[in-house]
Amino acid sequence: MTEFKKAAINAAALIAVAATAGASILGCDGFANEPNESGAGTAAGPERKAAAARFGDGDYTFYFKNGATASGDCDGYSSEYGGKTTIYEWWRDDIRKWETRIKAAGANIETNSDKYHSGYYWVSFDTNLIYGTGLHELRNWSIKTEPTGAAYLRIDGKETKIVGTNDFRYAQAGGDFNWQSKKIKRFGRENLSEVQKSRDVSGLGIVFLQASNGKKMNSVKERGYSVKTVKENEAYLIDASTIEWFAYDDEG
């Protein structure tokens, strides 16, 4: 065998080894398959909805029946009435933060973060511990526009979806919706809080940017919900005392 042939064979072998190593590092989606421990100092990972999540990537608040809340950004979540609520994160550090929040709210949890692995991490708890889930903070908003999502309500075993919503939050009887200071005077939010503070039942504040939402909310009334118009086409207050479960999808 000539020296030239030997060199060619050795080069081919090195290429094959490199290709195999590359396959072990990159998954089929092009993201690293190495354990995704932390996003510190790196890009934020996929920052997209986990495939197993029903509701999209967003910034949410989980309202516990003991009065506690747990809020933050996640890569999607699922919430099943009578079952489990599960929060997803790409980075292990991020799911650990959620574990701390959920435990602080008084819930027992299940998680897959005990070992490093590729793919999404999750933390889960019993849905019957919460009233539901609402929007925590608006992202990618400006004075002229706010991103739209979708609110989900359940009463008498039936689920209703309200599309085109721009804000959706829960407050206890006589409580406040805790809108961000920059947005409280926009689209009837301040009015919603003032009305809720004088009510003796819990409420859901729902806000729209687009006009002509009266017909949409009349349809919600027809499905058995008690709805108060606070600002026509923009702000509505829903009696939450008879609602079995609610959720919000920041991606609509």
Side-chain angles (χ1 to χ4, degrees):
M1 182 181 295
T2 67
E3 292 301 318
F4 176 79
K5 286 185 177 180
K6 287 181 179 179
I9 291 172
N10 289 336
L14 287 171
I15 292 171
V17 169
T20 301
S24 68
I25 294 172
L26 294 180
C28 61
D29 59 0
F31 289 104
N33 244 352
E34 291 298 305
N36 40 329
E37 177 181 5
S38 173
T42 70
E47 284 298 332
R48 58 185 180 184
K49 177 183 175 183
R54 178 181 179 187
F55 306 112
D57 178 281
D59 205 336
Y60 300 105
T61 294
F62 297 85
Y63 298 95
F64 285 80
K65 293 178 180 178
N66 63 4
T69 59
S71 302
D73 176 85
C74 67
D75 294 333
Y77 75 99
S78 295
S79 186
E80 179 185 358
Y81 178 76
K84 295 287 186 178
T85 292
T86 304
I87 301 167
Y88 296 90
E89 288 283 16
W90 178 255
W91 296 114
R92 191 187 195 207
D93 282 359
D94 289 341
I95 206 65
R96 285 285 174 84
K97 292 174 184 176
W98 274 110
E99 290 171 16
T100 300
R101 293 169 191 147
I102 301 303
K103 286 180 179 178
N108 293 322
I109 65 168
E110 298 175 32
T111 182
N112 69 342
S113 72
D114 55 324
K115 296 179 180 179
Y116 296 122
H117 59 80
S118 60
Y120 286 88
Y121 292 97
W122 53 262
V123 59
S124 181
F125 57 93
D126 290 340
T127 300
N128 63 14
L129 295 176
I130 58 173
Y131 293 115
T133 310
L135 181 66
H136 176 230
E137 185 158 343
L138 290 166
R139 300 184 300 175
N140 303 318
W141 75 284
S142 69
I143 293 299
K144 294 183 178 180
T145 184
E146 294 180 6
T148 58
Y152 293 77
L153 310 171
R154 177 187 166 103
I155 194 171
D156 296 331
K158 297 180 181 179
E159 196 173 295
T160 295
K161 179 180 180 181
I162 308 173
V163 298
T165 59
N166 297 94
D167 219 327
F168 181 71
R169 310 195 188 198
Y170 172 85
Q172 296 277 11
D176 197 337
F177 291 107
N178 298 313
W179 317 106
Q180 292 104 302
S181 58
K182 292 181 180 179
K183 305 174 185 69
I184 190 170
K185 294 185 181 297
R186 289 169 53 78
F187 304 105
R189 288 183 174 89
E190 191 170 26
N191 308 75
L192 280 168
S193 287
E194 289 306 312
V195 173
Q196 180 60 25
K197 288 175 183 178
S198 65
R199 286 165 61 92
D200 59 2
V201 294
S202 56
L204 289 166
I206 187 166
V207 174
F208 300 94
L209 260 74
Q210 303 299 325
S212 304
N213 289 295
K215 185 176 180 181
K216 182 187 299 183
M217 295 310 293
N218 283 336
S219 176
V220 173
K221 291 179 183 178
E222 291 170 359
R223 298 188 182 192
Y225 295 90
S226 175
V227 180
K228 178 180 180 61
T229 302
V230 176
K231 191 173 182 180
E232 188 67 34
N233 291 319
E234 289 184 7
Y236 297 84
L237 190 56
I238 304 172
D239 182 349
S241 64
T242 60
I243 293 177
E244 299 166 345
W245 166 93
F246 62 88
Y248 191 74
D249 188 346
D250 204 7
E251 295 184 342

